[in-house]
Amino acid sequence: MTFSRKILLLLIGSIGVTLLAAFIFLHFTYRDLYLSTVRESVESQGQRTAAHYHSGELTEEIIEKIHWYNVVSEYEVLVADDLDELNRFFPYEIDGERLVEETDREALLAGQSMMKEGYVDHYGRQVIGGVYPITDGVSTAGYVYIFVPLEGLAQVFGSSIPLLIGVGILFFIILSLMVGRIRQSLFRPLASIESFSKKVSAGEYDNRLEVKQMDEIGQVSAALNQMSEALQHQEERQKEFLADIMHEVRTPLTYIQGYTEQLKKSDRNKDMILSTIESEVQRMNSLLSDLAELSRLQEGYAEFDRQPIVAADLFYETVQLFSLPAKEKSLRFNIEADEELVMIQDAKRLKQIFYNLIENAVKYAPADSVIMLILQEEDYQMRFSVINDSTLSAKEKERIGERFYRANRDRNRQTGGTGLGLAIVKELVRLMGGRFEIDLKTDAFKVKIKMPKEGQTE
């Protein structure tokens, strides 16, 4: 069953429930209010009428008063000397029984009143009445039967029914308009979402849904827009990744092919050619190793041997490895290190993080500049920051750490590397329970990582 049909059934069900509730309300009002009021009124009027008699015989004066009350009252009043005469005055059956049956006589003769109600064919409606003995408390002089034919439901609510019908029609019109508006505002976006989903599943990620208001449908549409945008970016990154893979592999293969053909033609510069081929093969091996490691890290397959280590010793040892490259570019290290910082982490992985970050700074820092290296304890965590001068824009910094991304689009082979170092660092920091941050607000290139001192935080 479609959602539209469900809404239609909901509307029909609402109307049905409303009609049923209105009927139950009218029936309840008629039965429990109108009939109860009539019974109480009959009881009251019957007792008042019988109270005209005090003692002695049922005189013509009393009978005349009762007949006069019959004329001015909304009730029918009959008065008789005995029960048989009362049955003759009211010869109609009430629900198939006479007014006074043999079973009723004993109570009436004892001076007790009796309520009698039921359907009377002569009047074509229900009748409520009561028989009241006229007595002075000792002897009974006669009987008064006061009754009233009941009005039907339509007669009781005759003046109100047109108003109820009008209000009901107005209610259904308003309800229909509201449901129509809801259907319009609900099903059009749903149809758009369905069409949008089909396009996204077909690989068309550049479409966006129109979000007019942030209700539930609007929030779903906004989430789908974000998903489509993310898929679009992912597709672009995937294309760039494939292009980068092809470039990184094709370049050394081209070198190897060219040098191999040159080696076939002549043995001149044989050692240099073989050395170059070996260098390119090593570079390809390094690339494949980095890719394999990054893939394992992203899948969460990395294993860590966490042992107590003095972070500053590992840090100084790593910095020392770059003393010669830094000297060649006239770079100076400004170091701030907490030598008492002890961690329970994987020393090999932590050194790999230090190495990749410092290597990146040495490669891309301008000559004759300063590289700041800060290793501190902060909130029971290790904080490691690397700051160097840079000409990168905020947009370029934001992409640092993506696979194969290098801000140097010329891909200089002397400084380029594989473009996977910071991507590996990001995954290692994540798996070791830390955070990798690049400050996009400063002009300098500032990388900061935070890592728990004892293993991975929960």
Side-chain angles (χ1 to χ4, degrees):
M1 184 182 294
T2 63
F3 194 58
S4 177
R5 185 166 295 179
K6 290 179 181 179
I7 292 294
L8 183 60
L9 289 177
L10 178 62
L11 173 62
I12 295 174
S14 300
I15 294 175
V17 170
T18 304
L19 291 175
L20 179 62
F23 173 78
I24 292 174
F25 173 75
L26 291 177
H27 180 73
F28 171 81
T29 304
Y30 175 79
R31 187 193 63 187
D32 291 351
L33 185 61
Y34 173 67
L35 295 185
S36 297
T37 302
V38 170
R39 289 191 189 98
E40 292 175 0
S41 180
V42 167
E43 181 74 19
S44 174
Q45 297 298 332
Q47 293 176 356
R48 289 174 58 188
T49 303
H52 284 86
Y53 174 78
H54 298 288
S55 62
E57 297 180 355
L58 189 62
T59 62
E60 289 295 332
E61 182 181 358
I62 296 176
I63 295 175
E64 186 178 348
K65 287 182 179 180
I66 294 175
H67 286 166
W68 176 82
Y69 178 74
N70 184 27
V71 173
V72 299
S73 171
E74 58 181 330
Y75 303 102
E76 298 288 337
V77 182
L78 300 176
V79 59
D81 292 331
D82 56 47
L83 295 176
D84 292 330
E85 186 179 13
L86 190 60
N87 276 336
R88 288 195 301 272
F89 287 165
F90 190 87
Y92 316 114
E93 290 186 346
I94 303 174
D95 283 343
E97 296 181 354
R98 292 182 302 168
L99 175 62
V100 179
E101 295 286 343
E102 293 298 325
T103 54
D104 303 323
R105 287 178 175 272
E106 183 177 352
L108 292 172
L109 291 173
Q112 300 177 10
S113 61
M114 178 190 69
M115 291 294 295
K116 197 88 169 187
E117 62 181 271
Y119 186 80
V120 178
D121 291 334
H122 175 74
Y123 294 103
R125 64 183 70 178
Q126 294 286 115
V127 170
I128 290 181
V131 179
Y132 300 92
I134 301 175
T135 177
D136 59 359
V138 178
S139 60
T140 301
Y143 300 91
V144 173
Y145 176 48
I146 180 169
F147 67 95
V148 57
L150 296 177
E151 299 288 346
L153 188 66
Q155 288 77 22
V156 173
F157 297 100
S159 59
S160 301
I161 286 179
L163 178 61
L164 292 174
I165 293 175
V167 172
I169 292 174
L170 181 62
F171 167 76
F172 291 136
I173 291 175
I174 295 174
L175 181 62
S176 300
L177 292 176
M178 290 178 61
V179 171
R181 185 66 179 271
I182 292 173
R183 290 185 63 186
Q184 182 179 3
S185 62
L186 183 63
F187 293 123
R188 281 188 180 179
L190 288 178
S192 300
I193 289 175
E194 180 184 11
S195 175
F196 173 81
S197 301
K198 291 179 180 178
K199 291 179 180 179
V200 170
S201 63
E204 300 179 18
Y205 304 128
D206 55 343
N207 295 304
R208 297 291 182 270
L209 290 168
E210 183 181 1
V211 181
K212 294 183 178 180
Q213 55 186 10
M214 287 306 293
D215 54 6
E216 287 80 359
I217 299 297
Q219 293 174 6
V220 171
S221 300
L224 289 174
N225 284 338
Q226 292 177 356
M227 179 195 71
S228 179
E229 185 176 359
L231 289 174
Q232 184 179 10
H233 290 325
Q234 184 176 358
E235 185 181 40
E236 293 172 356
R237 300 290 183 268
Q238 185 177 7
K239 290 179 180 178
E240 290 180 6
F241 174 72
L242 292 175
D244 289 334
I245 285 285
M246 292 176 62
H247 176 86
E248 297 292 342
V249 173
R250 184 186 292 116
T251 300
L253 288 177
T254 301
Y255 273 82
I256 293 172
Q257 182 181 9
Y259 283 122
T260 302
E261 291 177 355
Q262 185 177 347
L263 192 59
K264 286 180 180 179
K265 295 177 181 179
S266 173
D267 288 341
R268 184 184 301 175
N269 300 324
K270 178 180 178 180
D271 293 339
M272 184 273 291
I273 292 174
L274 291 175
S275 177
T276 304
I277 290 175
E278 182 182 14
S279 175
E280 293 300 324
V281 171
Q282 290 177 350
R283 186 169 181 273
M284 288 187 65
N285 282 332
S286 177
L287 172 65
L288 294 176
S289 297
D290 287 347
L291 274 175
E293 181 176 13
L294 181 60
S295 178
R296 285 196 304 271
L297 293 174
Q298 289 177 334
E299 294 295 329
Y301 294 144
E303 296 182 358
F304 297 92
D305 181 19
R306 293 184 170 90
Q307 299 292 335
I309 55 175
V310 180
D313 292 347
L314 200 64
F315 167 65
Y316 285 130
E317 181 183 333
T318 308
V319 173
Q320 188 64 31
L321 299 175
F322 294 95
S323 58
L324 184 59
K327 186 175 181 181
E328 291 175 355
K329 293 182 65 175
S330 300
L331 299 175
R332 300 184 306 280
F333 290 117
N334 188 351
I335 298 175
E336 296 180 15
D338 183 354
E339 297 182 356
E340 297 182 358
L341 177 57
V342 177
M343 305 179 64
I344 300 179
Q345 284 286 7
D346 189 313
K348 180 182 176 182
R349 295 297 191 181
L350 187 59
K351 185 175 181 179
Q352 185 178 4
I353 291 172
F354 289 154
Y355 186 93
N356 283 340
L357 290 176
I358 297 172
E359 181 188 36
N360 183 78
V362 170
K363 280 183 179 180
Y364 295 105
D368 297 318
S369 62
V370 176
I371 299 175
M372 292 189 64
L373 303 174
I374 304 173
L375 180 66
Q376 294 177 337
E377 179 179 345
E378 183 180 285
D379 297 330
Y380 207 68
Q381 290 184 321
M382 181 204 77
R383 180 171 71 88
F384 179 59
S385 301
V386 180
I387 308 171
N388 58 272
D389 293 340
S390 173
T391 58
L392 298 179
S393 65
K395 187 175 182 180
E396 290 174 323
K397 291 178 184 178
E398 194 173 6
R399 293 198 58 187
I400 294 294
E402 296 179 8
R403 290 180 297 186
F404 293 116
Y405 179 76
R406 285 174 291 182
N408 182 1
R409 303 310 295 175
D410 294 333
R411 302 181 182 272
N412 188 301
R413 294 181 62 80
Q414 295 180 352
T415 61
T418 63
L420 296 173
L422 290 185
I424 292 174
V425 168
K426 286 182 68 173
E427 292 301 320
L428 281 174
V429 171
R430 179 181 65 85
L431 292 174
M432 294 170 74
R435 289 186 301 170
F436 179 95
E437 299 176 359
I438 296 178
D439 194 338
L440 304 179
K441 298 180 180 180
T442 62
D443 293 333
F445 183 71
K446 180 178 180 180
V447 180
K448 179 174 67 176
I449 65 171
K450 286 186 176 182
M451 188 177 300
K453 291 173 58 178
E454 298 184 3
Q456 181 175 355
T457 56
E458 297 296 333

